[in-house]
């Protein structure tokens, strides 16, 4: 009896593995096609200045709607893209769209804001990243100082010796660098001084239980202080409530990216938001 149950649950486990790997296979095939057909969307999540309530920048976030699968979250398709190498083309695609859109907002006379774009470690290793980046800036005519690239600590897990000079070259182009999801990785704090970062983004896992969780409050306050001591801009991700906003802004952190203000929205919606802001 016991044996049969065991075998039964093993079979169940096997089925689940097969289902998972089949979904990944189908995702990667569909994602490749979506990229070729330019079906991938880029949405923009505003970053607000808590002091004056104005948009000071946006983060470009990939969005994908598939006919059969519906909306697939980046939390699912980005890891698949990274594992298959599709991320290199996906990254170029998002970067190009983001730069073109930001440049067109300037041409329309909308107020200048920063454009933040996520870059995976894989993209840096792929080679010629600097060349593709500077070509993209040239084509779009976006001023370099309005572009910020977001990287996570995973950049340093492997081949740290290659990553550091590359990031310095990016800085030499005049592009800004942000460290994303700060506090969730496993690397040491030493990379904070090895790279000329401009911005530190506090991961939303630190914010979620503020103000109830004392430890989260202390950690967040300490990270804000440390970042300011290092002369970094601080962006707080995942602010959803007034209490969270009050907590972080009282501790001196003024740039807020979270559902409290807005989720990622379509380009047209963002343009309307910027237009309303500039005419107010
Ligand atoms: P991320 O770079 O840390 O982006 C912020 C994520 O937090 C976004 O999730 C955003 O929708 C979410 N977020 C912002 N404020 C709130 C909030 O108040 N509450 C909650 N619950 N969530 C909030 P999204 O768009 O699902 O993206 C997930 C991750 O996928 C991103 O995390 C990033 O690591 C990756 N990703 C998305 N687009 C790209 C891309 O074009 N290239 C690369 N390499 N990665 C991307
Ligand atoms: Mg990001
Ligand atoms: Mg983040
Ligand atoms: Mg992330």
């Amino acid at each position: 009896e016991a044996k049969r149950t065991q075998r039964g649950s093993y079979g169940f486990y096997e089925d689940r593995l097969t289902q998972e790997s089949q979904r990944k296979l189908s995702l990667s095939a569909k994602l490749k096609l979506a990229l070729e057909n330019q079906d991938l969307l880029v949405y923009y999540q505003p970053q607000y200045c808590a002091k004056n309530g104005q948009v000071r920048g946006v983060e470009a976030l990939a969005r994908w709607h598939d006919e059969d699968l519906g909306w697939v979250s980046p939390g699912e398709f980005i890891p698949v893209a990274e594992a298959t190498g599709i991320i290199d083309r996906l990254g170029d695609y998002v970067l190009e769209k983001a730069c073109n859109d930001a440049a067109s907002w300037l041409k329309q006379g909308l107020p200048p804001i920063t454009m933040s774009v996520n870059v995976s470690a894989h993209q840096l290793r792929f080679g010629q990243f600097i060349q593709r980046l500077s070509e993209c800036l040239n084509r779009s005519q976006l001023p370099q100082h309005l572009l910020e690239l977001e990287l996570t600590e995973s950049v340093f897990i492997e081949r740290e010796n290659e990553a550091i000079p590359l990031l310095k070259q990016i800085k030499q182009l005049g592009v800004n660098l942000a460290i994303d999801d700060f506090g969730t990785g496993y690397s040491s704090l030493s990379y904070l001084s090895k790279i000329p970062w401009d911005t530190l983004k506090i991961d939303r896992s630190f914010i979620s239980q503020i103000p109830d969780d004392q430890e989260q409050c202390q950690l967040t306050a300490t990270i804000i202080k440390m970042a300011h001591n290092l002369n970094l801009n601080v962006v707080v991700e995942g602010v959803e409530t007034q209490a969270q906003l009050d907590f972080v802004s009282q501790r001196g952190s003024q740039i807020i990216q979270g559902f409290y203000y807005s989720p990622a929205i379509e380009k047209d919606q963002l343009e309307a938001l910027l237009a309303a802001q500039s005419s107010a």
Side-chain angles (χ1 to χ4, degrees):
E1 213 22 73
K3 234 181 197 164
R4 199 194 295 163
T5 318
Q6 256 176 14
R7 211 179 310 133
S9 58
Y10 176 69
F12 173 76
Y13 179 68
E14 235 183 1
D15 283 351
R16 215 177 43 122
L17 268 188
T18 318
Q19 273 172 25
E20 270 177 28
S21 45
Q22 257 159 15
R23 170 143 175 120
K24 277 188 191 141
L25 265 177
S26 113
L27 280 179
S28 69
K30 280 168 173 291
L31 189 57
K32 240 185 223 155
L33 270 178
L35 263 174
E36 278 165 23
N37 299 333
Q38 313 227 326
D39 279 343
L40 217 72
L41 304 172
V42 181
Y43 277 31
Y44 299 103
Q45 186 178 25
Q47 299 174 338
Y48 279 81
C49 171
K51 258 191 197 144
N52 59 18
Q54 302 237 313
V55 178
R56 53 78 71 181
V58 292
E59 177 175 6
L61 292 163
R63 293 289 180 263
W64 179 28
H65 185 270
D66 176 82
E67 258 178 28
D68 307 318
L69 305 172
W71 289 99
V72 185
S73 85
E76 186 175 17
F77 70 77
I78 293 290
V80 170
E82 286 174 337
T84 52
I86 297 173
I87 194 68
D88 299 318
R89 259 175 298 146
L90 190 154
D92 281 349
Y93 177 87
V94 172
L95 184 67
E96 183 93 30
K97 252 203 160 37
C99 289
N100 288 341
D101 284 348
S104 93
W105 299 334
L106 281 183
K107 277 180 211 130
Q108 292 172 49
L110 295 169
I113 57 168
T114 59
M115 170 60 73
S116 299
V117 179
N118 293 287
V119 174
S120 294
H122 194 284
Q123 290 174 258
L124 294 184
R125 288 177 201 139
F126 184 57
Q128 274 114 43
F129 180 80
I130 300 290
Q131 196 186 323
R132 297 208 308 281
L133 174 64
S134 52
E135 280 168 10
C136 184
L137 284 166
N138 286 337
R139 273 196 300 272
S140 65
Q141 294 291 304
L142 179 70
Q144 310 88 293
H145 71 274
L146 290 182
L147 181 65
E148 184 160 83
L149 300 184
E150 297 192 0
L151 298 133
T152 64
E153 291 152 279
S154 65
V155 174
F156 302 102
I157 292 174
E158 278 173 69
R159 308 200 214 179
E160 172 180 319
N161 295 340
E162 288 169 36
I164 291 174
L166 205 60
L167 294 180
K168 287 186 175 158
Q169 276 178 279
I170 295 174
K171 277 292 295 178
Q172 275 159 14
L173 284 181
V175 172
N176 294 304
L177 291 176
I179 178 140
D180 201 358
D181 303 343
F182 181 80
T184 61
Y186 294 99
S187 41
S188 78
L189 287 178
S190 65
Y191 61 83
L192 273 181
S193 59
K194 287 185 189 159
I195 304 293
W197 301 106
D198 299 281
T199 303
L200 182 152
K201 298 189 78 176
I202 302 181
D203 191 70
R204 80 185 144 89
S205 59
F206 288 96
I207 310 303
S208 57
Q209 303 302 321
I210 286 178
D212 300 325
D213 184 322
Q214 277 312 301
E215 227 162 71
Q216 279 204 347
C217 290
Q218 292 297 337
L219 274 172
T220 300
T222 305
I223 295 171
I224 292 172
K225 200 164 198 177
M226 177 196 70
H228 284 157
N229 284 342
L230 292 170
N231 271 322
L232 299 172
N233 297 313
V234 177
V235 176
V236 186
E237 280 190 320
V239 170
E240 295 183 353
T241 68
Q242 180 76 51
Q244 291 169 343
L245 175 66
D246 291 344
F247 181 89
V248 297
S249 57
Q250 275 157 21
R251 272 142 197 94
S253 191
Q254 307 296 352
I255 313 172
I256 309 292
Q257 182 183 343
F259 293 175
Y260 175 83
Y261 283 113
S262 172
I265 53 181
E266 286 176 60
K267 175 185 158 218
D268 292 355
Q269 280 180 285
L270 188 87
E271 282 173 12
L273 190 67
L274 291 178
Q277 184 170 300
S278 66
S279 66

